[in-house]
């Protein structure tokens, strides 16, 4: 509406009852707003089919960007951010979709990622950890196994691929032996000591 030559809001949504007069101005020069009829809220972006699409399975808007992949998870935004516990659906803060498809606020992700690399919900690796795992490979190859642990084995569960394996016991960092995985994001389920001459146990 206009009154006395002043604009109350360049953008108005009759569904959300939202007025906005910042889009396209100053520090918001590249900002646009659109209403998603499926989310039933207004979101920052140019619109569905332009720079966003609505995923019916996740029930959320997903950015259309070259090279950006989307992994569906049922009703992804129906819950709360696992870090700050704020509702994701009604949040106005930028969101971060993890490799496992769980979602949290981008600022919460950056704060959490400073000292952790696993999803707080499912424990899968949140990012490509190949460089970090490669450094762990180098450290493992450079260290010698203590003779007292020569007959000790660990049954491990890989948080990334979900497989169970039996590997040589180590004080730290057990690697998933699956060639397609090779993750160090594992946890020890059981530690066992083999009798001399005993056959290797199977997983």
């Amino acid at each position: 509406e206009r009154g006395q030559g002043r604009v109350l809001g360049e953008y108005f949504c009759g569904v959300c009852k939202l007025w906005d007069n910042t889009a396209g101005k100053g520090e918001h020069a590249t900002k646009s707003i659109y209403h998603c009829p499926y989310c039933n809220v207004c979101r920052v972006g140019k619109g569905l089919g332009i720079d966003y699409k609505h995923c019916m399975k996740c029930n959320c808007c997903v950015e259309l960007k070259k090279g950006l992949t989307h992994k569906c998870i049922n009703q992804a935004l129906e819950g709360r951010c696992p870090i700050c516990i704020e509702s994701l659906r009604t949040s106005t803060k930028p969101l971060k979709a993890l490799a496992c498809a769980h979602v949290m606020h981008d600022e919460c992700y950056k704060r959490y990622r400073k000292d952790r690399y696993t999803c707080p919900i499912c424990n899968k690796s949140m990012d490509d950890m190949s460089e970090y795992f490669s450094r762990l490979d180098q450290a493992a190859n450079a260290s010698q196994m203590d003779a007292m642990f020569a007959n000790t084995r660990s049954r491990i569960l890989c948080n990334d691929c979900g497989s169970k394996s039996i590997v040589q016991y180590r004080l730290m960092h057990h690697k998933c032996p699956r060639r397609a995985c090779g993750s160090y994001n594992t946890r020890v389920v059981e530690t066992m000591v083999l009798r001399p001459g005993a056959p290797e146990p199977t997983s």
Side-chain angles (χ1 to χ4, degrees):
E1 295 185 12
R2 297 176 182 272
Q4 299 180 353
R6 292 181 298 177
V7 178
L8 179 61
E10 292 286 355
Y11 174 86
F12 170 71
C13 175
V15 177
C16 298
K17 300 299 186 289
L18 171 68
W19 282 266
D20 185 271
N21 204 29
T22 63
K25 298 179 180 179
E27 61 180 304
H28 304 288
T30 59
K31 174 183 173 183
S32 299
I33 304 175
Y34 72 97
H35 179 85
C36 175
Y38 306 105
C39 293
N40 201 32
V41 295
C42 288
R43 299 196 178 280
V44 174
K46 294 180 180 179
L48 297 179
I50 303 175
D51 56 350
Y52 279 87
K53 69 175 182 178
H54 186 87
C55 175
M56 293 300 183
K57 182 176 181 180
C58 299
N59 195 24
C60 66
C61 287
V62 180
E63 187 176 7
L64 292 173
K65 192 175 182 180
K66 188 176 181 180
L68 186 66
T69 58
H70 169 65
K71 184 183 292 184
C72 288
I73 184 169
N74 194 37
Q75 303 294 305
L77 297 187
E78 296 303 318
R80 297 178 178 273
C81 173
I83 306 302
C84 69
I85 319 300
E86 180 184 332
S87 171
L88 292 171
R89 172 161 293 282
T90 58
S91 176
T92 58
K93 302 173 184 176
L95 302 178
K96 169 74 174 180
L98 309 180
C100 58
H102 287 115
V103 181
M104 65 175 67
H105 290 119
D106 187 59
E107 62 181 29
C108 291
Y109 162 79
K110 290 175 180 177
R111 188 168 62 250
Y112 177 81
R113 185 65 177 81
K114 288 180 179 179
D115 55 5
R116 293 178 178 85
Y117 69 86
T118 59
C119 173
I121 298 175
C122 67
N123 287 324
K124 292 183 181 293
S125 297
M126 296 189 294
D127 300 302
D128 180 6
M129 301 303 299
S130 55
E131 183 178 343
Y132 174 64
F133 291 159
S134 177
R135 293 201 300 268
L136 291 181
D137 280 338
Q138 295 174 13
N141 293 332
S143 62
Q144 293 185 345
M145 173 60 62
D146 195 312
M148 67 181 293
F149 297 123
N151 292 329
T152 306
R153 303 290 183 270
S154 294
R155 188 187 304 275
I156 62 171
L157 170 66
C158 179
N159 292 322
D160 284 336
C161 72
S163 65
K164 290 183 178 180
S165 311
I166 294 178
V167 298
Q168 174 64 50
Y169 170 82
R170 289 187 173 276
L171 293 174
M172 297 178 64
H173 305 310
H174 291 78
K175 181 177 182 176
C176 176
R178 290 186 65 241
R179 182 173 297 182
C181 181
S183 172
Y184 279 92
N185 180 16
T186 61
R187 62 186 177 92
V188 177
V189 178
E190 179 186 3
T191 300
M192 60 195 82
V193 179
L194 305 181
R195 294 180 179 179
E200 289 288 337
T202 59
S203 54

